[in-house]
Amino acid sequence: MDPLAGLALGFQHALSPMNLLFALIGCLVGTAIGVLPGIGPVGGVAILLPVIFATRMDPISGMIMLAAVYYGSQYGGSTTSILINTPGESSSVMTCLDGYAMARQGRAGPALAMAAIASFVAGTLSVLGLMLLAPPLTEFALRFGPRENFALMVLGLTTLTRLTGAPVWKALLMAVFGLALGTVGIDAMSGTPRFTFGNPNLLNGFEFAVVAIGLFALAELFDNVAAPLQREVFETKLGNLWPSAADWMAVRVTLVRASVVGFFIGVLPGAGATVASFMAYAIEKRASKHPERFGQGAIEGVAAPEAANNAATGGAMVPLLTLGLPSSATAAILLGAITIFGLRPGPLLMIEHPQFFWAVIASMYIGNVMLVILNLPLIGMWVNILKIPYGILLPFIVLFTIIGTYAINNNPFDLWVMLAFGVLGYVMRRADLPAAPVVLALVLGPQMETNLRRALTISRGDYGTFVTSPISAALLLLAVVSLAWPLLVRLTGRGRPMIPAAEEV
Amino acid sequence: MTQRLARRLARSPLVCVFLLLGVALCYAATRLSMRTLDGGPGPGLLPAALGALMTVLALWVLWSEPPRVGSVGSVGPVGPGGTGELSGAPRFSALPTRVAAMAGGLALYAAVLEALGFVIATAALVGGLLALFNERNRGRLAALGLAGAAGAYWVFHTLLRVPLPADPAGLWR
């Protein structure tokens, strides 16, 4: 199916009143998740996924809503960055620098509006990129067999460990831990129970959504209650929202440049919104004739990271929808969602379920329009939500984590698992151990093992099969290079850290 | 050299846990078959490899990385007027009381949820957490907890048909 015909089919589904409603709800919930401190996109999507599944929602509607939550949360994170100098999630860190400075200068309105407009422009451009890149990539991925799929997953994991911002060996240790978690339960190929210790609750293994809620949402809440709960909202008038003509002139190239940078970084397995926002900011500062204005309230300093983090969200959909390879923890949850909805992620998704594939893409166009139309007038509402004392909000966020966890299997055992991973996630943060590789490896692990064993069975136990296929060999070589890269940079002495010590989601 | 390793083991307890987990995984994997009847890889192959890799990586982390106590995921205030740091979380010295209380509350909740039903158990948990984090009137906070639990039950269970444990006394259906 050619992209235009596919998009037309997608719009047919996405424009149905029910799907429009779900996109709207997803945008609002996602923005709220981004605005509220203590619940990031990973936790938010993980909590909503079981609820959506329990309501027996149609897969297209469910995925439209989850995708809307994903990009809505990227938008919402900018509000807290600008108004209280605290990013809702790590991809909005760079927005704080100039956004908060603008708010202090009495220009919070234009900063918030520019964040919304940049998100809209980038979101739309990235969907265009996704539409153009997805069909050829799908065609290429159709050549993949078990060994190529295994090599691709190895590459996905190694690049993620390289880009989490944490030391690479620690990230790799966490990825191995996630893969080990994925081996718990009945072995899909032989039917042998593994590491269940006689507990029937473990026969199906660890639910990735429960682990994600624990490691991200609950651990974040523990982190927040360990710190002072008072947050100061910057009091400013939001009367004049529209950016000035000078602002528009300043960002006209920035918006396109940051969108392109963000999109291609989002496509890379392992990179994502946070890395994209940092790189876009750095590039914009370097390209500026007045770099000294950055950090002092330059509107390009708001537009660049916001455009980049939203474009990266669209970019992340490329490997997710075409290769079945998530490039971030949130994308891993979305991959799990596709499986839960009974669909097979990977290149065949576009061929077997074109209405699903294209409806999700079309809904992203619609969602971006919704976000900009809704959120400019609703900025006041988000500010008011921020003024609710965190001590009141927090128990209700805990309540949502409980409902999301319980809804998966209707089993209190999952609450124990969530709690255990919440405490583990909290301790991991203090030991500088990133959580994203754990979730990504847990989602990819079972598929990776199946592909590994299938490839070895086909080759009669010959491990050389992974290097005799040119695609598989190239992917594994890239994986080795991605791991060895820091060492090479250190040896050449030219490395400078560009990536923040904040976890990519 | 041994002293250095011992010092690092003591200062990175979580990495030590992963080290032990790796060894345990290797041992447990040996009890699973490594080959299937047709000569293909068995269910123990990957766990054994992962156990070995986890052990090596944990040792490498202990050996090569100077122990750090910063936070990864927490992003505190940045920029003008902020701390300028990405990691703003407290140090890993002792589990803060509020975290322990919240974890304890959640453990108790998981234990009594099915016996008490969603609304009563959740009202107690949310009310308790509200009282823990706020200095306001306890009666109002308890009422807010009950309203939140009942409201959530109505929205998720009654409206969205998400299965939640019913009240055994039949007060909430």
Side-chain angles (χ1 to χ4, degrees), chain B:
Chain B
M1 198 165 85
T2 317
Q3 272 185 340
R4 188 181 167 201
L5 182 62
R7 219 171 29 242
R8 288 186 174 195
L9 284 170
R11 287 166 69 185
S12 307
L14 190 59
V15 181
C16 292
V17 171
F18 285 114
L19 175 66
L20 292 175
L21 192 65
V23 174
L25 192 62
C26 276
Y27 171 73
T30 57
R31 300 172 71 181
L32 296 164
S33 60
M34 294 291 161
R35 291 228 161 255
T36 55
L37 290 175
D38 59 359
L45 183 73
L46 186 69
L50 291 174
L53 197 54
M54 197 187 288
T55 308
V56 171
L57 284 169
L59 279 172
W60 182 262
V61 169
L62 282 169
W63 190 253
S64 66
E65 289 287 324
R68 279 168 39 183
V69 286
S71 163
V72 179
S74 178
V75 270
V78 293
T83 62
E85 288 179 350
L86 295 177
S87 307
R91 307 294 86 182
F92 181 50
S93 52
L95 206 63
T97 321
R98 283 196 297 204
V99 175
M102 194 169 134
L106 277 166
L108 194 63
Y109 177 83
V112 301
L113 176 64
E114 297 221 308
L116 293 182
F118 179 81
V119 177
I120 296 170
T122 307
L125 176 72
V126 174
L129 291 177
L130 283 167
L132 183 67
F133 302 133
N134 296 281
E135 302 277 316
R136 293 152 212 255
N137 183 312
R138 295 285 156 96
R140 283 186 188 174
L141 293 175
L144 185 60
L146 181 62
Y153 188 77
W154 184 77
V155 170
F156 288 97
H157 185 79
T158 313
L159 207 66
L160 296 174
R161 307 281 167 88
V162 175
L164 295 172
D167 173 28
L171 290 171
W172 309 92
R173 289 285 176 201

Side-chain angles (χ1 to χ4, degrees), chain A residues 130-144:
Chain A
L130 167 62
M131 205 177 87
L132 295 173
L133 215 57
L137 203 57
T138 300
E139 208 162 299
F140 177 65
L142 282 172
R143 296 181 209 165
F144 285 21

Side-chain angles (χ1 to χ4, degrees), chain A residues 55 85 194 225 406 429 432, chain B residues 43 68 70 72 78 98 114 160:
Chain A
T55 56
N85 200 27
R194 294 187 294 190
V225 299
Y406 189 82
R429 284 164 183 240
D432 213 3
Chain B
R68 279 168 39 183
V72 179
V78 293
R98 283 196 297 204
E114 297 221 308
L160 296 174

